[in-house]
Amino acid sequence: DAGVIQSPRHEVTEMGQEVTLRCKPISGHDYLFWYRQTMMRGLELLIYFNNNVPIDDSGMPEDRFSAKMPNASFSTLKIQPSEPRDSAVYFCASRRQGRAGELFFGEGSRLTVL
Amino acid sequence: AQRVTQPEKLLSVFKGAPVELKCNYSYSGSPELFWYVQYSRQRLQLLLRHISRESIKGFTADLNKGETSFHLKKPFAQEEDSAMYYCALISGGYQKVTFGIGTKLQVIP
């Protein structure tokens, strides 16, 4: 099992451009989480899904951020338009129902907005 | 609302010295707490959970409900313990996972 797969690993873009980050959770996992990691704020929960349905998106910073999970094996996090303050590492994680706290993380997508 | 506080962003200790990484939480319900670790160039991974009362890589953590704390301890630090450590809290019916800001542990040879 390759674990949680995220793409791209690195993204450099210019302010105002659209950014799409992708995540493939571990097969059979019911929950999917998107986190943002920065030096100042650590790991912030942006949004999470249960069985493809968004449960809590209160961590999404602004309307510029959106996330979808069209099926059990794929999720996207989109930023449009991107700004320099969005520069961070974005992590996707998944877990199985009944295994609360046992998150499996992807390697992260490092985003740099110039 | 739930909250996890890790007061130290950086903790430096000498090899062989005891380590204590602090974690305090705020939650009105019954807490479930965990420690995660991120070694250099590796994925963030679960280290230990309070409910299992286990010792992993020499680390232990005890939940103290009176002090709302879940500090991570190790009696003798090793160089390979150098990493980023995150305390996490599970809350709510859908078991939201909230992390602290993280503490970078640096073990000096």
Side-chain angles (χ1 to χ4, degrees), chain B residues 28-41:
Chain B
S28 57
S30 182
E32 285 189 64
L33 287 140
F34 302 77
W35 277 98
Y36 276 76
V37 61
Q38 187 177 26
Y39 300 104
S40 179
R41 298 188 185 86

Side-chain angles (χ1 to χ4, degrees), chain A residues 41-67:
Chain A
R41 298 187 174 207
L43 269 174
E44 298 176 275
L45 176 62
L46 300 177
I47 185 171
Y48 70 107
F49 297 82
N50 175 229
N51 292 324
N52 314 337
V53 176
I55 301 301
D56 185 345
D57 65 354
S58 59
M60 296 285 261
E62 301 169 34
D63 291 345
R64 298 184 296 106
F65 285 70
S66 63

Side-chain angles (χ1 to χ4, degrees), chain B residues 46-56 59-61:
Chain B
L46 178 65
L47 179 62
L48 55 79
R49 64 202 85 187
H50 92 266
I51 200 166
S52 57
R53 302 181 67 82
E54 58 202 342
S55 173
I56 302 292
F59 284 99
T60 59

